[in-house]
Amino acid sequence: MAFKKTTQKVDINKRKIINGEDADVVQLYPIKHTFAWEAYNAANANHWLPTEISMQNDIEEWKSTKVLSHDERTALKIVLGFFTTADSIAANNIVLGFYRHITSPECRLYLLRQGYEEAIHTHSYQYIVESLRLNESEIFNMYRENQAIYNKDAFILSFNEGILNPHFKTGTVESDQKFLENIIIASIIMEGIFFYSSFAVMFGFQRQNKLMGSAEQIQYIMRDESMHLNFGINLVNTIKEEQPELWSKEFQSHAIDLIKTGVELECTFATEVFPKGIFGLNADNFRQYIQHIADRRLARIGLSEQYRSPNPFPWMSEAIDLNKEKNFFETRVIEYQTGGTLEW
Ligand code: FE
């Protein structure tokens, strides 16, 4: 795009999520995609850092032979093994993929914040690993050793690579559908489904009053991730409005197939890593839960529900699905908002 000297102002009607006019510099105003501006402000208000959370009790519990069973220790390690990869894949996708092709300045502004949050999440796993003195290379290399984690990551990366390719450009129906497919892969499946059995396990610890410091960090991460998912859903729905030709019947059934494949990969992950179940949650519970949340994601982007499974973990909906992003951790939000107005 040529950068020329002109008094002609940006035309908001030409602003689009992809293939818009204003890709050279960020002229934030006039804001068209208000969902992105709202997400950016909400994310700032939710700011947190892992090192603010005390890990002292977790350290004692991990050292003790009486608090955690062998299966619980294994579960924590596998969950961390998956999480460490998920957030770095997400970060690469944002910085090397989404940011290059999304032309809405307000969406790009949120993506900058989202990328930082993925870094905070990776920091959080490092902080847990270091506090508990886990074997770092065991956790961080697990995605290459554990088949179920490998399969989930390989699935995401096989689609990701298309838009991360330096020669990839939006602008044709085929390439725009490829980009849309990648939002479904990265936001709906990765951030909206692949995190969730692991979130359930961490909530399991919390419900047993164990590893509360680690669980609290994952709770903050869950709050961030539910916003990332929401943003991804808004991207999909806005692109559908701006370029309705992309949302063909064929593409819709392709999107359903992708989400169904994601559900199977997540169910396999949950049954393989928790073969005997954990905290009284068995493989069937995990399957129902994953199908239940997949239906919710499908409905949010206007696709038909595929499973109609009941929600076996209602305590998860209370914690995550109620859209409490803005007031979930009220005290901390207020602390940061006050921090922002300090006199320097
Ligand atoms: Fe994310």
Short mmCIF file of all heavy atoms in Angstrom, two decimals, residues 265-296:
data_model
loop_
_atom_site.label_atom_id
_atom_site.label_comp_id
_atom_site.label_asym_id
_atom_site.label_seq_id
_atom_site.Cartn_x
_atom_site.Cartn_y
_atom_site.Cartn_z
N LEU A 265 -10.03 -34.63 19.17
CA LEU A 265 -8.64 -34.53 19.65
C LEU A 265 -8.62 -34.19 21.14
O LEU A 265 -7.79 -34.72 21.90
CB LEU A 265 -7.87 -33.47 18.86
CG LEU A 265 -7.49 -33.87 17.42
CD1 LEU A 265 -7.07 -32.64 16.62
CD2 LEU A 265 -6.35 -34.90 17.45
N GLU A 266 -9.52 -33.31 21.56
CA GLU A 266 -9.55 -32.92 22.97
C GLU A 266 -10.06 -34.07 23.84
O GLU A 266 -9.55 -34.30 24.94
CB GLU A 266 -10.40 -31.65 23.16
CG GLU A 266 -10.39 -31.06 24.56
CD GLU A 266 -9.01 -30.64 25.05
OE1 GLU A 266 -8.03 -30.66 24.28
OE2 GLU A 266 -8.91 -30.33 26.25
N CYS A 267 -11.05 -34.81 23.34
CA CYS A 267 -11.56 -35.97 24.11
C CYS A 267 -10.46 -37.02 24.26
O CYS A 267 -10.29 -37.60 25.34
CB CYS A 267 -12.77 -36.60 23.42
SG CYS A 267 -14.24 -35.57 23.51
N THR A 268 -9.70 -37.26 23.19
CA THR A 268 -8.61 -38.23 23.26
C THR A 268 -7.56 -37.77 24.27
O THR A 268 -7.07 -38.56 25.08
CB THR A 268 -7.95 -38.41 21.87
OG1 THR A 268 -8.97 -38.71 20.95
CG2 THR A 268 -6.91 -39.51 21.88
N PHE A 269 -7.25 -36.49 24.22
CA PHE A 269 -6.29 -35.92 25.19
C PHE A 269 -6.78 -36.19 26.61
O PHE A 269 -6.04 -36.71 27.45
CB PHE A 269 -6.14 -34.42 24.93
CG PHE A 269 -5.38 -33.65 25.99
CD1 PHE A 269 -4.00 -33.67 26.04
CD2 PHE A 269 -6.07 -32.90 26.95
CE1 PHE A 269 -3.30 -32.95 27.01
CE2 PHE A 269 -5.38 -32.18 27.92
CZ PHE A 269 -3.99 -32.21 27.95
N ALA A 270 -8.04 -35.88 26.87
CA ALA A 270 -8.57 -36.02 28.24
C ALA A 270 -8.57 -37.48 28.68
O ALA A 270 -8.22 -37.78 29.83
CB ALA A 270 -9.97 -35.42 28.33
N THR A 271 -8.93 -38.40 27.81
CA THR A 271 -8.97 -39.81 28.24
C THR A 271 -7.58 -40.40 28.35
O THR A 271 -7.32 -41.20 29.24
CB THR A 271 -9.82 -40.69 27.29
OG1 THR A 271 -9.60 -40.28 25.96
CG2 THR A 271 -11.28 -40.59 27.59
N GLU A 272 -6.66 -40.00 27.47
CA GLU A 272 -5.31 -40.57 27.54
C GLU A 272 -4.52 -40.05 28.72
O GLU A 272 -3.75 -40.78 29.33
CB GLU A 272 -4.55 -40.32 26.24
CG GLU A 272 -4.94 -41.32 25.17
CD GLU A 272 -4.17 -41.14 23.88
OE1 GLU A 272 -3.11 -40.47 23.89
OE2 GLU A 272 -4.63 -41.68 22.86
N VAL A 273 -4.72 -38.79 29.04
CA VAL A 273 -3.90 -38.27 30.14
C VAL A 273 -4.54 -38.51 31.51
O VAL A 273 -3.83 -38.53 32.51
CB VAL A 273 -3.53 -36.78 29.96
CG1 VAL A 273 -2.69 -36.58 28.73
CG2 VAL A 273 -4.73 -35.89 29.92
N PHE A 274 -5.86 -38.74 31.54
CA PHE A 274 -6.50 -39.06 32.82
C PHE A 274 -7.26 -40.37 32.67
O PHE A 274 -8.49 -40.38 32.79
CB PHE A 274 -7.45 -37.93 33.25
CG PHE A 274 -6.86 -36.55 33.04
CD1 PHE A 274 -7.43 -35.66 32.13
CD2 PHE A 274 -5.71 -36.16 33.72
CE1 PHE A 274 -6.87 -34.42 31.90
CE2 PHE A 274 -5.15 -34.91 33.49
CZ PHE A 274 -5.74 -34.04 32.58
N PRO A 275 -6.53 -41.48 32.42
CA PRO A 275 -7.22 -42.74 32.10
C PRO A 275 -8.13 -43.23 33.23
O PRO A 275 -9.15 -43.85 32.98
CB PRO A 275 -6.08 -43.73 31.85
CG PRO A 275 -4.86 -43.10 32.44
CD PRO A 275 -5.08 -41.63 32.43
N LYS A 276 -7.74 -42.91 34.46
CA LYS A 276 -8.58 -43.35 35.58
C LYS A 276 -9.50 -42.23 36.07
O LYS A 276 -10.10 -42.34 37.11
CB LYS A 276 -7.67 -43.80 36.74
CG LYS A 276 -6.93 -45.12 36.44
CD LYS A 276 -6.01 -45.52 37.58
CE LYS A 276 -4.63 -44.91 37.36
NZ LYS A 276 -3.72 -45.07 38.53
N GLY A 277 -9.56 -41.15 35.28
CA GLY A 277 -10.32 -39.99 35.74
C GLY A 277 -9.51 -39.24 36.78
O GLY A 277 -8.42 -39.67 37.17
N ILE A 278 -10.01 -38.11 37.19
CA ILE A 278 -9.32 -37.33 38.22
C ILE A 278 -10.34 -36.51 38.99
O ILE A 278 -11.29 -35.99 38.39
CB ILE A 278 -8.20 -36.44 37.60
CG1 ILE A 278 -7.44 -35.71 38.71
CG2 ILE A 278 -8.74 -35.46 36.55
CD1 ILE A 278 -6.11 -35.18 38.29
N PHE A 279 -10.18 -36.42 40.30
CA PHE A 279 -11.11 -35.71 41.19
C PHE A 279 -12.55 -36.17 40.96
O PHE A 279 -13.49 -35.38 41.00
CB PHE A 279 -11.04 -34.18 40.97
CG PHE A 279 -9.66 -33.61 41.04
CD1 PHE A 279 -9.16 -32.84 39.99
CD2 PHE A 279 -8.85 -33.83 42.15
CE1 PHE A 279 -7.88 -32.31 40.05
CE2 PHE A 279 -7.58 -33.29 42.21
CZ PHE A 279 -7.09 -32.54 41.17
N GLY A 280 -12.73 -37.47 40.65
CA GLY A 280 -14.08 -37.97 40.41
C GLY A 280 -14.65 -37.63 39.04
O GLY A 280 -15.80 -37.93 38.76
N LEU A 281 -13.84 -36.97 38.19
CA LEU A 281 -14.31 -36.64 36.83
C LEU A 281 -13.79 -37.73 35.90
O LEU A 281 -12.58 -37.94 35.82
CB LEU A 281 -13.75 -35.29 36.38
CG LEU A 281 -13.72 -34.16 37.42
CD1 LEU A 281 -13.01 -32.93 36.84
CD2 LEU A 281 -15.14 -33.81 37.84
N ASN A 282 -14.67 -38.43 35.22
CA ASN A 282 -14.21 -39.52 34.34
C ASN A 282 -14.24 -39.10 32.87
O ASN A 282 -14.64 -37.99 32.52
CB ASN A 282 -15.01 -40.80 34.59
CG ASN A 282 -16.48 -40.62 34.27
OD1 ASN A 282 -16.83 -39.88 33.34
ND2 ASN A 282 -17.35 -41.27 35.03
N ALA A 283 -13.80 -40.05 32.02
CA ALA A 283 -13.67 -39.76 30.59
C ALA A 283 -15.00 -39.32 29.98
O ALA A 283 -15.05 -38.42 29.14
CB ALA A 283 -13.13 -40.98 29.86
N ASP A 284 -16.10 -39.96 30.41
CA ASP A 284 -17.41 -39.58 29.86
C ASP A 284 -17.78 -38.15 30.23
O ASP A 284 -18.35 -37.41 29.43
CB ASP A 284 -18.52 -40.52 30.38
CG ASP A 284 -18.48 -41.86 29.69
OD1 ASP A 284 -17.84 -41.95 28.61
OD2 ASP A 284 -19.07 -42.82 30.22
N ASN A 285 -17.47 -37.77 31.47
CA ASN A 285 -17.73 -36.39 31.90
C ASN A 285 -16.97 -35.40 31.02
O ASN A 285 -17.52 -34.40 30.58
CB ASN A 285 -17.28 -36.14 33.34
CG ASN A 285 -17.98 -37.02 34.36
OD1 ASN A 285 -17.41 -37.40 35.36
ND2 ASN A 285 -19.24 -37.34 34.09
N PHE A 286 -15.68 -35.72 30.79
CA PHE A 286 -14.87 -34.81 29.97
C PHE A 286 -15.46 -34.71 28.56
O PHE A 286 -15.58 -33.62 28.00
CB PHE A 286 -13.41 -35.28 29.89
CG PHE A 286 -12.57 -34.84 31.06
CD1 PHE A 286 -12.20 -35.72 32.07
CD2 PHE A 286 -12.15 -33.52 31.17
CE1 PHE A 286 -11.43 -35.31 33.15
CE2 PHE A 286 -11.37 -33.09 32.24
CZ PHE A 286 -11.02 -33.99 33.24
N ARG A 287 -15.84 -35.87 27.98
CA ARG A 287 -16.41 -35.86 26.62
C ARG A 287 -17.67 -34.98 26.58
O ARG A 287 -17.80 -34.12 25.71
CB ARG A 287 -16.72 -37.29 26.16
CG ARG A 287 -17.48 -37.35 24.84
CD ARG A 287 -17.57 -38.76 24.29
NE ARG A 287 -16.29 -39.19 23.72
CZ ARG A 287 -15.88 -38.90 22.49
NH1 ARG A 287 -16.65 -38.17 21.69
NH2 ARG A 287 -14.72 -39.31 22.05
N GLN A 288 -18.56 -35.19 27.54
CA GLN A 288 -19.79 -34.40 27.56
C GLN A 288 -19.48 -32.92 27.69
O GLN A 288 -20.08 -32.07 27.02
CB GLN A 288 -20.65 -34.79 28.77
CG GLN A 288 -21.49 -36.03 28.54
CD GLN A 288 -22.41 -36.30 29.72
OE1 GLN A 288 -22.22 -35.76 30.81
NE2 GLN A 288 -23.41 -37.12 29.49
N TYR A 289 -18.53 -32.62 28.55
CA TYR A 289 -18.19 -31.21 28.77
C TYR A 289 -17.63 -30.58 27.50
O TYR A 289 -18.01 -29.47 27.11
CB TYR A 289 -17.20 -31.08 29.94
CG TYR A 289 -16.82 -29.63 30.17
CD1 TYR A 289 -17.78 -28.71 30.59
CD2 TYR A 289 -15.53 -29.18 29.92
CE1 TYR A 289 -17.46 -27.37 30.76
CE2 TYR A 289 -15.20 -27.85 30.09
CZ TYR A 289 -16.16 -26.96 30.51
OH TYR A 289 -15.85 -25.63 30.67
N ILE A 290 -16.71 -31.28 26.85
CA ILE A 290 -16.07 -30.75 25.64
C ILE A 290 -17.13 -30.57 24.54
O ILE A 290 -17.15 -29.56 23.83
CB ILE A 290 -14.92 -31.68 25.18
CG1 ILE A 290 -13.81 -31.68 26.24
CG2 ILE A 290 -14.36 -31.26 23.84
CD1 ILE A 290 -12.92 -32.91 26.21
N GLN A 291 -18.04 -31.55 24.42
CA GLN A 291 -19.11 -31.42 23.42
C GLN A 291 -20.03 -30.25 23.76
O GLN A 291 -20.47 -29.51 22.87
CB GLN A 291 -19.91 -32.73 23.35
CG GLN A 291 -19.08 -33.87 22.78
CD GLN A 291 -19.85 -35.18 22.72
OE1 GLN A 291 -20.83 -35.37 23.45
NE2 GLN A 291 -19.41 -36.09 21.88
N HIS A 292 -20.31 -30.10 25.04
CA HIS A 292 -21.17 -29.00 25.48
C HIS A 292 -20.58 -27.64 25.11
O HIS A 292 -21.27 -26.78 24.55
CB HIS A 292 -21.39 -29.10 26.99
CG HIS A 292 -22.08 -27.91 27.58
ND1 HIS A 292 -23.45 -27.72 27.48
CD2 HIS A 292 -21.60 -26.84 28.26
CE1 HIS A 292 -23.77 -26.58 28.07
NE2 HIS A 292 -22.67 -26.02 28.55
N ILE A 293 -19.28 -27.45 25.39
CA ILE A 293 -18.71 -26.13 25.08
C ILE A 293 -18.55 -25.95 23.56
O ILE A 293 -18.71 -24.85 23.05
CB ILE A 293 -17.38 -25.84 25.83
CG1 ILE A 293 -16.32 -26.86 25.49
CG2 ILE A 293 -17.60 -25.72 27.33
CD1 ILE A 293 -14.93 -26.43 25.92
N ALA A 294 -18.30 -27.05 22.84
CA ALA A 294 -18.18 -26.94 21.38
C ALA A 294 -19.51 -26.46 20.80
O ALA A 294 -19.53 -25.59 19.91
CB ALA A 294 -17.79 -28.28 20.77
N ASP A 295 -20.63 -26.98 21.29
CA ASP A 295 -21.95 -26.52 20.82
C ASP A 295 -22.13 -25.03 21.07
O ASP A 295 -22.68 -24.31 20.24
CB ASP A 295 -23.06 -27.29 21.56
CG ASP A 295 -23.47 -28.55 20.80
OD1 ASP A 295 -23.09 -28.70 19.62
OD2 ASP A 295 -24.18 -29.38 21.40
N ARG A 296 -21.66 -24.58 22.21
CA ARG A 296 -21.81 -23.15 22.52
C ARG A 296 -21.00 -22.30 21.54
O ARG A 296 -21.44 -21.24 21.11
CB ARG A 296 -21.37 -22.88 23.96
CG ARG A 296 -22.27 -23.61 24.95
CD ARG A 296 -22.02 -23.16 26.35
NE ARG A 296 -22.26 -21.72 26.48
CZ ARG A 296 -22.40 -21.09 27.62
NH1 ARG A 296 -22.32 -21.76 28.75
NH2 ARG A 296 -22.60 -19.80 27.67
#
